[in-house]
Amino acid sequence: MDTPGSTSRAGHLRTALRRLVLGAFLGVVVLITLLVGAAVLSVTGVSFDPHGYGMFAGILFAAVLMPVALMLWVSYRSLLRGGN
């Protein structure tokens, strides 16, 4: 049985996987934030985007990455609980 203080190989692999999933989640969240920021700058006219492609791309890519972030978060929480 893997406990938080376990020194077994499976415990170490689970910890490494949990940290990898958390890092991927944080990376996706940062990317979503940057895309939404680019879309907001495009909408407000602060950035030079005469055709509005930045707005469409920011909204579209952020919408595609939202389920990815949600699944990574659910996976992280599942690994944190111990998979019960």
Side-chain angles (χ1 to χ4, degrees), residues 1-70:
M1 181 166 137
D2 291 330
T3 59
S6 176
T7 58
S8 69
R9 182 177 174 95
H12 290 300
L13 289 175
R14 186 175 195 84
T15 301
L17 181 62
R18 188 176 67 230
R19 289 180 181 171
L20 182 69
V21 169
L22 181 61
F25 170 74
L26 292 176
V28 169
V29 168
V30 166
L31 187 58
I32 290 171
T33 304
L34 291 173
L35 289 168
V36 169
V40 168
L41 290 176
S42 179
V43 167
T44 58
V46 174
S47 68
F48 180 71
D49 188 15
H51 301 292
Y53 294 140
M55 175 187 59
F56 291 119
I59 292 170
L60 179 67
F61 294 149
V64 168
L65 287 175
M66 283 292 197
V68 173
L70 181 64

Side-chain angles (χ1 to χ4, degrees), residues 18 77 84:
R18 188 176 67 230
R77 294 295 297 181
N84 293 337

